[in-house]
Tab-separated table of all heavy atoms in Angstrom:
chain	number	residue	atom	x	y	z
A	117	THR	N	-9.985	-9.788	-16.950
A	117	THR	CA	-10.224	-9.407	-18.340
A	117	THR	C	-8.852	-9.397	-19.047
A	117	THR	O	-7.829	-9.105	-18.481
A	117	THR	CB	-10.821	-7.953	-18.342
A	117	THR	OG1	-12.051	-7.942	-17.657
A	117	THR	CG2	-11.036	-7.460	-19.812
A	118	GLU	N	-8.900	-9.753	-20.349
A	118	GLU	CA	-7.728	-9.666	-21.222
A	118	GLU	C	-6.621	-10.533	-20.660
A	118	GLU	O	-5.417	-10.314	-20.954
A	118	GLU	CB	-7.258	-8.260	-21.444
A	118	GLU	CG	-8.354	-7.433	-22.204
A	118	GLU	CD	-8.155	-5.904	-22.059
A	118	GLU	OE1	-7.447	-5.436	-21.162
A	118	GLU	OE2	-8.837	-5.211	-22.872
A	119	ASN	N	-6.984	-11.564	-19.874
A	119	ASN	CA	-5.978	-12.466	-19.308
A	119	ASN	C	-4.842	-11.754	-18.624
A	119	ASN	O	-3.715	-12.212	-18.607
A	119	ASN	CB	-5.440	-13.442	-20.381
A	119	ASN	CG	-4.686	-14.651	-19.831
A	119	ASN	OD1	-5.015	-15.045	-18.699
A	119	ASN	ND2	-3.691	-15.122	-20.512
A	120	ASP	N	-5.153	-10.614	-18.000
A	120	ASP	CA	-4.129	-9.868	-17.305
A	120	ASP	C	-3.819	-10.571	-15.965
A	120	ASP	O	-4.346	-10.258	-14.896
A	120	ASP	CB	-4.605	-8.433	-17.049
A	120	ASP	CG	-3.496	-7.562	-16.462
A	120	ASP	OD1	-2.453	-8.090	-16.083
A	120	ASP	OD2	-3.673	-6.336	-16.358
A	121	SER	N	-2.956	-11.490	-16.084
A	121	SER	CA	-2.607	-12.308	-14.930
A	121	SER	C	-2.018	-11.469	-13.752
A	121	SER	O	-2.100	-11.799	-12.624
A	121	SER	CB	-1.574	-13.428	-15.294
A	121	SER	OG	-0.346	-12.904	-15.802
A	122	LEU	N	-1.297	-10.413	-14.089
A	122	LEU	CA	-0.708	-9.558	-13.084
A	122	LEU	C	-1.752	-8.668	-12.371
A	122	LEU	O	-1.427	-8.117	-11.324
A	122	LEU	CB	0.408	-8.663	-13.659
A	122	LEU	CG	1.688	-9.420	-14.132
A	122	LEU	CD1	2.674	-8.462	-14.793
A	122	LEU	CD2	2.302	-10.183	-12.944
A	123	ASN	N	-2.915	-8.639	-12.907
A	123	ASN	CA	-4.006	-7.973	-12.148
A	123	ASN	C	-4.885	-9.017	-11.483
A	123	ASN	O	-5.534	-8.711	-10.429
A	123	ASN	CB	-4.867	-7.148	-13.073
A	123	ASN	CG	-5.478	-5.966	-12.376
A	123	ASN	OD1	-4.833	-5.145	-11.756
A	123	ASN	ND2	-6.778	-5.799	-12.435
A	124	ALA	N	-4.875	-10.222	-12.029
A	124	ALA	CA	-5.574	-11.351	-11.321
A	124	ALA	C	-4.935	-11.606	-9.936
A	124	ALA	O	-5.652	-11.973	-9.029
A	124	ALA	CB	-5.546	-12.614	-12.190
A	125	ILE	N	-3.681	-11.494	-9.841
A	125	ILE	CA	-2.946	-11.779	-8.579
A	125	ILE	C	-3.474	-10.863	-7.445
A	125	ILE	O	-3.871	-11.365	-6.399
A	125	ILE	CB	-1.465	-11.710	-8.796
A	125	ILE	CG1	-0.972	-12.858	-9.630
A	125	ILE	CG2	-0.751	-11.794	-7.381
A	125	ILE	CD1	0.511	-12.745	-10.043
A	126	PRO	N	-3.390	-9.529	-7.651
A	126	PRO	CA	-3.986	-8.708	-6.511
A	126	PRO	C	-5.484	-8.901	-6.317
A	126	PRO	O	-5.982	-8.663	-5.233
A	126	PRO	CB	-3.624	-7.273	-6.949
A	126	PRO	CG	-3.324	-7.337	-8.373
A	126	PRO	CD	-2.794	-8.700	-8.648
A	127	MET	N	-6.212	-9.158	-7.389
A	127	MET	CA	-7.659	-9.537	-7.172
A	127	MET	C	-7.781	-10.706	-6.305
A	127	MET	O	-8.573	-10.742	-5.335
A	127	MET	CB	-8.317	-9.859	-8.551
A	127	MET	CG	-8.546	-8.661	-9.447
A	127	MET	SD	-9.226	-9.179	-11.055
A	127	MET	CE	-10.888	-9.679	-10.591
A	128	LEU	N	-6.919	-11.735	-6.511
A	128	LEU	CA	-6.956	-12.930	-5.607
A	128	LEU	C	-6.518	-12.569	-4.230
A	128	LEU	O	-7.164	-13.020	-3.241
A	128	LEU	CB	-6.001	-13.990	-6.216
A	128	LEU	CG	-5.870	-15.295	-5.429
A	128	LEU	CD1	-7.204	-15.963	-5.278
A	128	LEU	CD2	-4.869	-16.202	-6.127
A	129	PHE	N	-5.477	-11.726	-4.056
A	129	PHE	CA	-5.096	-11.325	-2.714
A	129	PHE	C	-6.274	-10.621	-2.007
A	129	PHE	O	-6.547	-10.937	-0.868
A	129	PHE	CB	-3.889	-10.308	-2.861
A	129	PHE	CG	-2.585	-10.890	-3.231
A	129	PHE	CD1	-1.479	-10.068	-3.506
A	129	PHE	CD2	-2.419	-12.269	-3.370
A	129	PHE	CE1	-0.281	-10.558	-3.870
A	129	PHE	CE2	-1.148	-12.789	-3.710
A	129	PHE	CZ	-0.109	-11.903	-4.007
A	130	GLY	N	-6.887	-9.716	-2.674
A	130	GLY	CA	-8.007	-8.968	-2.070
A	130	GLY	C	-9.143	-9.850	-1.667
A	130	GLY	O	-9.723	-9.651	-0.579
A	131	HIS	N	-9.455	-10.791	-2.548
A	131	HIS	CA	-10.551	-11.731	-2.239
A	131	HIS	C	-10.239	-12.560	-1.006
A	131	HIS	O	-11.102	-12.677	-0.061
A	131	HIS	CB	-10.773	-12.624	-3.422
A	131	HIS	CG	-11.789	-13.701	-3.139
A	131	HIS	ND1	-13.078	-13.433	-2.700
A	131	HIS	CD2	-11.724	-15.058	-3.248
A	131	HIS	CE1	-13.803	-14.551	-2.553
A	131	HIS	NE2	-12.984	-15.558	-2.873
A	132	LEU	N	-9.081	-13.055	-0.886
A	132	LEU	CA	-8.719	-13.964	0.249
A	132	LEU	C	-8.538	-13.197	1.540
A	132	LEU	O	-8.797	-13.709	2.625
A	132	LEU	CB	-7.413	-14.752	-0.066
A	132	LEU	CG	-7.583	-15.781	-1.204
A	132	LEU	CD1	-6.174	-16.397	-1.483
A	132	LEU	CD2	-8.590	-16.825	-0.953
A	133	LEU	N	-8.179	-11.909	1.429
A	133	LEU	CA	-7.988	-11.118	2.659
A	133	LEU	C	-9.347	-10.496	3.183
A	133	LEU	O	-9.430	-10.257	4.355
A	133	LEU	CB	-7.037	-9.932	2.363
A	133	LEU	CG	-5.584	-10.341	2.119
A	133	LEU	CD1	-4.728	-9.191	1.651
A	133	LEU	CD2	-4.899	-11.011	3.346
A	134	THR	N	-10.278	-10.354	2.266
A	134	THR	CA	-11.549	-9.700	2.676
A	134	THR	C	-12.765	-10.589	2.524
A	134	THR	O	-13.839	-10.296	3.048
A	134	THR	CB	-11.805	-8.425	1.831
A	134	THR	OG1	-12.072	-8.855	0.498
A	134	THR	CG2	-10.646	-7.486	1.881
A	135	ASN	N	-12.651	-11.738	1.819
A	135	ASN	CA	-13.723	-12.636	1.538
A	135	ASN	C	-14.784	-11.975	0.623
A	135	ASN	O	-15.920	-12.489	0.498
A	135	ASN	CB	-14.407	-13.057	2.805
A	135	ASN	CG	-13.470	-13.747	3.772
A	135	ASN	OD1	-12.455	-14.289	3.358
A	135	ASN	ND2	-13.788	-13.730	5.073
A	136	THR	N	-14.455	-10.903	-0.061
A	136	THR	CA	-15.482	-10.226	-0.930
A	136	THR	C	-15.011	-10.297	-2.391
A	136	THR	O	-13.894	-10.679	-2.751
A	136	THR	CB	-15.543	-8.718	-0.539
A	136	THR	OG1	-14.214	-8.105	-0.673
A	136	THR	CG2	-15.963	-8.550	0.909
A	137	ALA	N	-16.020	-9.937	-3.265
A	137	ALA	CA	-15.770	-9.860	-4.704
A	137	ALA	C	-14.800	-8.672	-4.974
A	137	ALA	O	-14.633	-7.711	-4.222
A	137	ALA	CB	-17.088	-9.653	-5.436
A	138	GLN	N	-14.185	-8.741	-6.138
A	138	GLN	CA	-13.179	-7.758	-6.538
A	138	GLN	C	-13.515	-7.058	-7.867
A	138	GLN	O	-14.089	-7.679	-8.791
A	138	GLN	CB	-11.848	-8.392	-6.708
A	138	GLN	CG	-11.344	-9.190	-5.480
A	138	GLN	CD	-11.089	-8.247	-4.316
A	138	GLN	OE1	-10.194	-7.437	-4.365
A	138	GLN	NE2	-11.828	-8.474	-3.249
A	139	ILE	N	-13.301	-5.758	-7.932
A	139	ILE	CA	-13.598	-4.946	-9.144
A	139	ILE	C	-12.317	-4.989	-10.009
A	139	ILE	O	-11.202	-4.672	-9.542
A	139	ILE	CB	-13.971	-3.558	-8.864
A	139	ILE	CG1	-15.229	-3.494	-7.937
A	139	ILE	CG2	-14.158	-2.731	-10.136
A	139	ILE	CD1	-15.559	-2.109	-7.475
A	140	PHE	N	-12.462	-5.327	-11.299
A	140	PHE	CA	-11.400	-5.255	-12.290
A	140	PHE	C	-11.686	-3.989	-13.085
A	140	PHE	O	-12.793	-3.818	-13.607
A	140	PHE	CB	-11.366	-6.473	-13.140
A	140	PHE	CG	-10.258	-6.472	-14.212
A	140	PHE	CD1	-9.195	-7.280	-14.094
A	140	PHE	CD2	-10.317	-5.638	-15.362
A	140	PHE	CE1	-8.184	-7.284	-15.069
A	140	PHE	CE2	-9.360	-5.590	-16.291
A	140	PHE	CZ	-8.242	-6.459	-16.172
A	141	ALA	N	-10.712	-3.111	-13.247
A	141	ALA	CA	-10.951	-1.860	-13.982
A	141	ALA	C	-9.698	-1.358	-14.639
A	141	ALA	O	-8.609	-1.608	-14.209
A	141	ALA	CB	-11.539	-0.796	-13.086
A	142	ASP	N	-9.922	-0.635	-15.756
A	142	ASP	CA	-8.865	0.212	-16.306
A	142	ASP	C	-8.683	1.414	-15.345
A	142	ASP	O	-9.653	1.975	-14.865
A	142	ASP	CB	-9.336	0.809	-17.660
A	142	ASP	CG	-8.919	-0.100	-18.839
A	142	ASP	OD1	-8.328	-1.086	-18.637
A	142	ASP	OD2	-9.228	0.330	-19.981
A	143	VAL	N	-7.425	1.736	-15.128
A	143	VAL	CA	-7.161	3.000	-14.436
A	143	VAL	C	-7.000	4.040	-15.587
A	143	VAL	O	-5.967	4.277	-16.114
A	143	VAL	CB	-5.851	2.927	-13.634
A	143	VAL	CG1	-5.623	4.198	-12.814
A	143	VAL	CG2	-5.914	1.735	-12.679
A	144	ARG	N	-8.173	4.589	-15.989
A	144	ARG	CA	-8.329	5.124	-17.343
A	144	ARG	C	-7.992	6.570	-17.531
A	144	ARG	O	-7.309	6.996	-18.439
A	144	ARG	CB	-9.746	4.813	-17.809
A	144	ARG	CG	-9.937	4.892	-19.311
A	144	ARG	CD	-11.282	4.450	-19.797
A	144	ARG	NE	-11.442	4.394	-21.224
A	144	ARG	CZ	-11.130	3.338	-21.976
A	144	ARG	NH1	-10.707	2.296	-21.415
A	144	ARG	NH2	-11.371	3.373	-23.265
A	145	THR	N	-8.473	7.422	-16.592
A	145	THR	CA	-8.347	8.883	-16.819
A	145	THR	C	-8.232	9.553	-15.487
A	145	THR	O	-8.984	9.296	-14.535
A	145	THR	CB	-9.588	9.462	-17.569
A	145	THR	OG1	-9.870	8.648	-18.697
A	145	THR	CG2	-9.294	10.863	-17.970
A	146	TYR	N	-7.295	10.485	-15.418
A	146	TYR	CA	-7.274	11.484	-14.286
A	146	TYR	C	-7.968	12.730	-14.752
A	146	TYR	O	-7.588	13.327	-15.760
A	146	TYR	CB	-5.808	11.775	-13.878
A	146	TYR	CG	-5.736	13.038	-13.040
A	146	TYR	CD1	-6.304	13.076	-11.769
A	146	TYR	CD2	-5.099	14.165	-13.542
A	146	TYR	CE1	-6.225	14.246	-10.994
A	146	TYR	CE2	-5.027	15.316	-12.767
A	146	TYR	CZ	-5.594	15.349	-11.512
A	146	TYR	OH	-5.559	16.477	-10.752
A	147	TRP	N	-8.976	13.090	-14.025
A	147	TRP	CA	-9.665	14.354	-14.290
A	147	TRP	C	-9.279	15.371	-13.228
A	147	TRP	O	-9.649	15.232	-12.067
A	147	TRP	CB	-11.171	14.135	-14.276
A	147	TRP	CG	-11.788	13.593	-15.515
A	147	TRP	CD1	-12.142	12.298	-15.793
A	147	TRP	CD2	-12.078	14.347	-16.720
A	147	TRP	NE1	-12.618	12.180	-17.040
A	147	TRP	CE2	-12.620	13.439	-17.669
A	147	TRP	CE3	-11.913	15.664	-17.078
A	147	TRP	CZ2	-13.033	13.798	-18.931
A	147	TRP	CZ3	-12.347	16.060	-18.331
A	147	TRP	CH2	-12.877	15.134	-19.257
A	148	SER	N	-8.507	16.372	-13.646
A	148	SER	CA	-8.160	17.496	-12.770
A	148	SER	C	-9.367	18.384	-12.506
A	148	SER	O	-10.273	18.389	-13.343
A	148	SER	CB	-6.992	18.294	-13.293
A	148	SER	OG	-7.420	18.989	-14.444
A	149	PRO	N	-9.384	19.092	-11.399
A	149	PRO	CA	-10.470	20.091	-11.194
A	149	PRO	C	-10.583	21.038	-12.319
A	149	PRO	O	-11.669	21.415	-12.742
A	149	PRO	CB	-10.055	20.787	-9.849
A	149	PRO	CG	-9.237	19.729	-9.162
A	149	PRO	CD	-8.462	19.037	-10.224
A	150	ALA	N	-9.462	21.508	-12.852
A	150	ALA	CA	-9.480	22.472	-13.962
A	150	ALA	C	-10.086	21.871	-15.225
A	150	ALA	O	-10.893	22.510	-15.919
A	150	ALA	CB	-8.109	23.017	-14.227
A	151	ALA	N	-9.717	20.591	-15.527
A	151	ALA	CA	-10.236	20.013	-16.716
A	151	ALA	C	-11.751	19.707	-16.614
A	151	ALA	O	-12.465	19.887	-17.556
A	151	ALA	CB	-9.511	18.666	-16.961
A	152	VAL	N	-12.172	19.320	-15.422
A	152	VAL	CA	-13.634	19.090	-15.230
A	152	VAL	C	-14.360	20.403	-15.427
A	152	VAL	O	-15.424	20.447	-16.093
A	152	VAL	CB	-13.846	18.501	-13.810
A	152	VAL	CG1	-15.387	18.522	-13.488
A	152	VAL	CG2	-13.319	17.132	-13.684
A	153	GLU	N	-13.845	21.489	-14.865
A	153	GLU	CA	-14.554	22.791	-15.000
A	153	GLU	C	-14.553	23.249	-16.429
A	153	GLU	O	-15.574	23.796	-16.900
A	153	GLU	CB	-13.920	23.855	-14.101
A	153	GLU	CG	-14.648	25.111	-14.043
A	153	GLU	CD	-14.107	26.119	-13.035
A	153	GLU	OE1	-13.038	25.809	-12.363
A	153	GLU	OE2	-14.723	27.179	-12.806
A	154	ARG	N	-13.419	23.020	-17.131
A	154	ARG	CA	-13.383	23.416	-18.567
A	154	ARG	C	-14.432	22.672	-19.416
A	154	ARG	O	-15.110	23.278	-20.231
A	154	ARG	CB	-11.995	23.169	-19.117
A	154	ARG	CG	-11.849	23.488	-20.612
A	154	ARG	CD	-10.429	23.204	-21.100
A	154	ARG	NE	-10.098	21.751	-21.033
A	154	ARG	CZ	-10.462	20.885	-21.937
A	154	ARG	NH1	-11.191	21.249	-22.966
A	154	ARG	NH2	-10.176	19.639	-21.802
A	155	VAL	N	-14.557	21.393	-19.107
A	155	VAL	CA	-15.387	20.512	-19.984
A	155	VAL	C	-16.899	20.657	-19.572
A	155	VAL	O	-17.775	20.594	-20.443
A	155	VAL	CB	-14.962	19.067	-19.861
A	155	VAL	CG1	-15.937	18.096	-20.484
A	155	VAL	CG2	-13.590	18.889	-20.543
C-alpha cells in the first residue's frame, strides 16, 4: 500500500521464508490497559 517499498521488502522476506501470504498494516495505536478501561 502507498508504494511503501521499505515495507514491501520485509513482506517479501516473510513470504520467501514461510511460503505464506503477508499482512500489510498500519502500526496504528497502542491501547494501554488503563486507556481501554477508561474508554
Side-chain angles (χ1 to χ4, degrees):
T117 300
E118 296 161 344
N119 194 28
D120 187 349
S121 61
L122 290 177
N123 211 53
I125 292 172
M127 287 175 72
L128 178 58
F129 288 173
H131 174 55
L132 294 176
L133 292 172
T134 67
N135 305 334
T136 60
Q138 304 294 297
I139 300 173
F140 182 108
D142 270 2
V143 186
R144 198 172 186 90
T145 310
Y146 163 67
W147 278 101
S148 68
V152 170
E153 187 172 5
R154 177 182 63 82
V155 168

